[in-house]
Amino acid sequence: MGRGEVGRIEVGYVGSVVYAGVLQDQIGRFRRSHPDVEVVVRSLPIAEVPGMLEAGSLDVGFVRLPMDLPTSLRRHALAEDDYCLALPADHPEAGPVGPVRPSRLRAEPFVVPEHTSGTDEVARRGRFSAQGVASPGNLAAVLPQVSLGHGVAVVPCVVAEAIRLPPSCSKPSLGTLQLG
């Protein structure tokens, strides 16, 4: 057990790591190299992962950066992704013409995911405070709200590509918006 060859590990993750394939890749590699270790994997709200790691109820956590982590935790980036703007299909900015300028979103209602860094950065660059109309939680719950016309959302591109809900569209926001 001390060498990590037998026993059990607890892994917590947030949805975007599944859509990017990061979790599947890392868990698959670990299982192949440590077949006698039981791996328990569960989806968690992003805000809970750091505390659970510190408390010892998780051994490994997969989160989306940027986020504040306690100094007792180490981080290692496994993938990078840009953010996209998810729009209802009938939105004036939903056409095929390039990225949306942040300032053009000033009056828009935002559907805000639990991890707000993308929304916060768009608002900062556009010099406005995003008006949240809904905070449904995880990313899989955000996109249906957009497709129903409740607002726009800033989401990881990998999620916008993996979950396509009519009538909605996604496009790069701000050209390339890389966070973490």
Side-chain angles (χ1 to χ4, degrees):
M1 281 184 77
R3 292 190 310 265
E5 295 172 4
V6 296
R8 171 186 170 124
I9 65 166
E10 297 277 339
V11 178
Y13 72 93
V14 297
S16 60
V17 301
V18 172
Y19 299 119
V22 171
L23 183 68
Q24 298 91 317
D25 177 61
Q26 294 298 308
I27 297 299
R29 287 180 193 212
F30 184 83
R31 284 185 171 147
R32 284 188 296 279
S33 64
H34 300 84
D36 295 326
V37 176
E38 177 186 6
V39 182
V40 178
V41 183
R42 56 188 159 145
S43 175
L44 296 165
I46 194 168
E48 292 180 18
V49 175
M52 293 177 74
L53 286 165
E54 276 198 311
S57 56
L58 287 179
D59 299 301
V60 178
F62 290 83
V63 297
R64 183 171 194 85
L65 299 175
M67 72 177 294
D68 291 329
L69 295 173
T71 57
S72 62
L73 300 179
R74 292 184 310 153
R75 72 179 192 175
H76 178 74
L78 296 171
E80 287 188 13
D81 187 22
D82 294 332
Y83 279 84
C84 293
L85 183 63
L87 303 157
D90 62 354
H91 191 280
E93 295 287 348
V97 180
V100 177
R101 301 187 78 189
S103 59
R104 296 189 60 127
L105 301 171
R106 180 177 315 266
E108 294 294 332
F110 279 80
V111 179
V112 184
E114 65 177 333
H115 192 202
T116 65
S117 61
T119 305
D120 296 342
E121 182 63 13
V122 166
R124 185 192 69 75
R125 290 184 186 189
R127 302 180 201 271
F128 64 89
S129 294
Q131 301 302 313
V133 293
S135 295
N138 68 41
L139 292 163
V142 169
L143 293 174
Q145 295 294 313
V146 172
S147 73
L148 292 169
H150 294 158
V152 301
V154 181
V155 298
C157 290
V158 69
V159 174
E161 292 167 6
I163 303 174
R164 297 221 179 252
L165 297 175
S168 65
C169 80
S170 63
K171 61 192 311 183
S173 62
L174 319 175
T176 300
L177 173 61
Q178 288 187 341
L179 301 174

